[in-house]
Amino acid sequence: MNILVTGGAGYIGSVVVEELAESRHEVVVYDDLSTGHREAVDPRAGLVIGNLHNSELLVHTLVENGVEAVIHMAASALVSESVLQPEKYYDNNVVAGEVLLQSMAKADVTKIVFSSTAAVYGEPGCQPILETDPLHPTNPYGETKLEFERKLEHYRLGNGINYASLRYFNAAGASKRCGEIHDPETHLIPLVLQAATGKIPHIDVFGVDYPTRDGTCVRDYVHVIDLARAHLLALEILDEKSDVYNLGCGGAGYTVREVIEAVREVTGLEIIERVVERRPGDPTALIASSEKIKNELGWEPEFQDLHTIIESAWAWIRQGYKSPSN
């Protein structure tokens, strides 16, 4: 299949492109390289440098490459930034996303897999979280992702564009080529690894008074390769239907302090913790029920152990960031 991946030079996008290429799909990456990296793009894929607001370039790219499906991963994705700059998030995640849908309609492309987020649930009242649970995002990032999910349904009804919306929990780990490095870095595992290597002096622990087993927040971590493979499975349903799926490993999740201790065990290095105040809007726990995608699409995460996830990220760091992605 000929597939366009928006944001395919980013962290998750670059691994999705790798998996698509391994499965012999023809892939074109569409990315403005504002946060992604040219060198992270698999050499088997084409690269078009462009902004999602550029409808003319999008339509040309879709038609010229005979694109049959889109995997849409391009977005602004920092929760704290979204609170301070909501206009940026609505512009990049909603307005630009609708330009993509309009361009797909013009080019007669009727399949899309969307990179959504657990942030659409806000602060859920029970765990694990089901796809049918209430959607009450607590920040502009989650709001804009939910708004685009709603637009997908409108375009399904009005333009016949089928979609699969994949609600990610915490993507982590690395492939052999591509790993996680952002500027600024906000994700826990790479930050703890930075503290282990001395790149930063300590790791901040935001609150130790949550009603959890050690007082710190609980999160669900899923390996980026497992996440990428779910996109390939999602492509297979789009001839028949549209749907929404959670992507996480489930179980009991891991607390912040359990992640820090696991990094200590993997690296053998000292990590200094600094306890600071809670961040506004940080839910106590976010744990996915991924039974729906397992039962309906046969998705089964291969890298479920936290130590294995961290080991892959640590191996990528030790090779010297040969192919950094953002």
Side-chain angles (χ1 to χ4, degrees), residues 117-139:
T117 172
V120 299
Y121 295 109
E123 300 189 36
C126 60
Q127 308 289 333
I129 301 166
L130 302 172
E131 289 85 352
T132 52
D133 283 346
L135 304 173
H136 298 300
T138 57
N139 52 67

Side-chain angles (χ1 to χ4, degrees), residues 157-178:
L157 294 171
N159 300 88
I161 296 176
N162 275 356
Y163 65 86
S165 185
L166 304 183
R167 292 172 179 165
Y168 304 171
F169 282 64
N170 287 52
S175 69
K176 290 182 179 179
R177 285 191 71 256
C178 295

Side-chain angles (χ1 to χ4, degrees), residues 211-279:
T212 63
R213 48 190 175 269
D214 64 15
T216 62
C217 291
V218 176
R219 295 292 182 266
D220 186 347
Y221 294 90
V222 57
H223 197 286
V224 66
I225 291 176
D226 289 323
L227 202 65
R229 290 172 179 167
H231 292 73
L232 277 69
L233 294 171
L235 287 169
E236 297 176 8
I237 71 167
L238 297 180
D239 283 327
E240 301 175 2
K241 66 171 184 173
S242 297
D243 217 329
V244 176
Y245 298 98
N246 287 339
L247 281 175
C249 284
Y254 298 94
T255 69
V256 170
R257 280 184 161 160
E258 286 168 348
V259 171
I260 295 170
E261 184 57 32
V263 174
R264 288 191 181 106
E265 292 170 2
V266 168
T267 64
L269 298 172
E270 180 184 0
I271 299 166
I272 299 172
E273 299 178 28
R274 184 178 71 168
V275 176
V276 295
E277 292 184 358
R278 289 188 184 194
R279 291 178 296 197

Side-chain angles (χ1 to χ4, degrees), residues 11-12 72-95 114-122 135-150 165-171 180 182 186-187 219 227 280-283 286:
Y11 166 47
I12 301 172
H72 178 37
M73 314 196 72
S76 294
L78 297 176
V79 170
S80 58
E81 183 186 59
S82 78
V83 175
L84 298 174
Q85 300 181 51
E87 69 286 352
K88 173 181 177 180
Y89 279 69
Y90 279 91
D91 189 43
N92 289 345
N93 297 358
V94 181
V95 177
F114 173 50
S115 166
S116 191
T117 172
V120 299
Y121 295 109
L135 304 173
H136 298 300
T138 57
N139 52 67
Y141 170 60
E143 283 281 1
T144 56
K145 287 287 193 174
L146 180 56
E147 180 64 24
F148 188 75
E149 283 195 11
R150 291 174 174 147
S165 185
L166 304 183
R167 292 172 179 165
Y168 304 171
F169 282 64
N170 287 52
E180 186 172 12
H182 303 95
T186 61
H187 295 172
R219 295 292 182 266
L227 202 65
D282 260 356
L286 288 173

Side-chain angles (χ1 to χ4, degrees), residues 9 13 19 22 42 49 65 96 113 121 125 141 148 166 201 224 230 240 250 267 272 275 291 299 306-307 309 320-321:
E19 291 296 318
E22 284 295 317
D42 192 291
I49 301 173
N65 293 280
V113 178
Y121 295 109
Y141 170 60
F148 188 75
L166 304 183
V224 66
E240 301 175 2
T267 64
I272 299 172
V275 176
E291 294 306 307
W299 180 71
L306 179 63
H307 286 73
I309 293 172
Y321 297 132

